[in-house]
């Protein structure tokens, strides 16, 4: 599969279909049993850790850090790939951190500790750390998991804004098909470890296609206000 530069690509499919595994292989967190992943003409295993961290940032499904860590301190860890032994631009680091805080609307929380944040705020902090890495590519593994509907949309709108305003290439895993339709330019559909379909949401999301992948009967609708969406009606 080829990921489109400057677009939002979302991987969807049933539980256990290999979505997170594919993302893990693409980000070099997992080794492929065969084949290879190429970024800008170079296999990912040929990059040093710092080189790769300047190319792509990853926001995992579950992220752990000490609860007494402050928001600003955690975001600053996104600058580690740029630290050198003898030469280091602290002003550039601070500018990147400030940019990340502003993008994620965390100005009022910068001195708060992680334990003081809501689930949605914590997720924004992890995304902010990825933004501070200043990479052209960001991978996100189920970024809306465990969030209520308000914070789900808050995070997805942030992701879309990063793509539209700053031309960041986004690859993410989502479970909610309607969210994938709304916030993606391109969909990869997986089942049983295989890529079954790929294309724009309009081309991929069909009644027959959803039945074949999920085993669920759906009505696929489209209107001027909501655009394309699905309504599951039974199995």
């Amino acid at each position: 599969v080829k990921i489109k530069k400057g677009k939002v690509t979302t991987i969807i499919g049933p539980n256990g279909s290999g979505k997170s595994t594919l993302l893990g292989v693409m980000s070099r967190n997992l080794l492929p049993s065969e084949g290879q992943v190429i970024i800008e003409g170079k296999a990912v295993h040929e990059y040093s850790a710092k080189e790769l961290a300047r190319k792509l940032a990853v926001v995992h499904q579950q992220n752990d850090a000490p609860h007494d860590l402050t928001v600003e301190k955690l975001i600053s860890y996104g600058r580690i790939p740029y630290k050198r032994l003898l030469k280091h631009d602290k002003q550039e680091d601070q500018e990147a951190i400030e940019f990340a805080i502003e993008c994620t609307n965390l100005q009022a929380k910068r001195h708060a500790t992680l334990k003081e944040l809501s689930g949605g705020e914590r997720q924004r902090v992890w995304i902010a750390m990825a933004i501070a890495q200043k990479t052209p590519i960001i991978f996100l593994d189920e970024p809306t998991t465990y969030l209520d509907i308000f914070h789900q949309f808050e995070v997805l709108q942030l992701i879309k804004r990063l793509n539209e305003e700053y031309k960041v290439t986004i690859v993410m895993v989502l479970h909610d098909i309607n969210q994938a339709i709304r916030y993606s330019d391109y969909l990869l559909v997986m089942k049983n470890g295989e890529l079954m379909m790929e294309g724009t949401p309009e081309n991929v999301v069909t009644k027959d296609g959803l039945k074949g992948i999920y085993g669920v009967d759906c009505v696929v609708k489209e209107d001027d206000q909501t655009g394309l969406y699905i309504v599951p009606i039974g199995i």
Side-chain angles (χ1 to χ4, degrees):
V1 66
K2 291 184 178 180
I3 301 300
K4 295 180 179 293
K5 185 177 181 179
K7 301 294 184 181
V8 178
T9 298
T10 299
I11 309 168
I12 63 172
N15 290 341
S17 61
K19 303 183 296 297
S20 295
T21 300
L22 176 60
L23 202 69
V25 169
M26 290 167 58
S27 60
R28 207 173 71 176
N29 287 325
L30 298 172
L31 291 175
S33 56
E34 60 182 79
Q36 59 182 339
V37 178
I38 306 291
I39 296 180
E40 295 184 356
K42 185 177 178 179
V44 292
H45 68 269
E46 295 177 355
Y47 285 94
S48 71
K50 280 193 173 182
E51 284 176 331
L52 188 60
R54 294 171 189 166
K55 295 290 183 184
L56 67 89
V58 184
V59 180
H60 298 283
Q61 183 178 347
Q62 294 183 331
N63 303 283
D64 293 317
H67 288 177
D68 59 350
L69 202 64
T70 66
V71 167
E72 185 171 6
K73 185 64 174 179
L74 180 57
I75 294 172
S76 73
Y77 291 161
R79 301 304 300 165
I80 289 176
Y82 300 93
K83 293 184 183 298
R84 300 176 184 176
L85 185 60
L86 298 176
K87 183 180 179 181
H88 186 52
D89 191 334
K90 292 185 178 180
Q91 181 178 349
E92 184 178 342
D93 286 345
Q94 194 58 44
E95 288 174 355
I97 293 166
E98 293 298 330
F99 173 74
I101 289 173
E102 182 179 348
C103 278
T104 51
N105 197 27
L106 287 167
Q107 296 95 325
K109 298 289 184 178
R110 66 188 308 146
H111 301 301
T113 61
L114 295 184
K115 66 183 177 183
E116 297 175 292
L117 304 181
S118 68
E121 289 168 340
R122 280 195 295 270
Q123 188 68 309
R124 278 191 282 141
V125 174
W126 289 103
I127 294 174
M129 187 175 74
I131 294 171
Q133 276 184 241
K134 287 285 189 175
T135 59
I137 306 167
I138 296 180
F139 290 170
L140 302 108
D141 190 3
E142 298 189 31
T144 58
T145 299
Y146 310 125
L147 300 182
D148 61 41
I149 191 167
F150 175 87
H151 291 104
Q152 287 178 26
F153 280 108
E154 183 181 49
V155 166
L156 289 169
Q157 286 170 357
L158 167 61
I159 291 167
K160 190 66 174 175
R161 185 162 69 89
L162 289 173
N163 168 253
E164 293 178 344
E165 294 185 18
Y166 304 105
K167 310 306 177 186
V168 178
T169 300
I170 302 290
V171 183
M172 60 180 171
V173 173
L174 288 179
H175 270 297
D176 190 301
I177 299 171
N178 283 321
Q179 290 180 353
I181 293 170
R182 180 167 183 154
Y183 291 97
S184 310
D185 300 302
Y186 203 78
L187 298 180
L188 306 178
V189 186
M190 296 191 68
K191 185 177 182 180
N192 297 328
E194 295 185 10
L195 181 65
M196 306 300 291
M197 294 185 289
E198 60 178 298
T200 63
E202 292 77 15
N203 291 333
V204 167
V205 179
T206 64
K207 177 181 177 181
D208 291 340
L210 293 171
K211 180 68 174 179
I213 296 296
Y214 292 95
V216 175
D217 293 317
C218 296
V219 176
V220 180
K221 296 187 174 185
E222 185 171 8
D223 60 47
D224 293 337
Q225 184 176 5
T226 60
L228 186 70
Y229 66 99
I230 71 162
V231 180
I233 57 175
I235 56 176

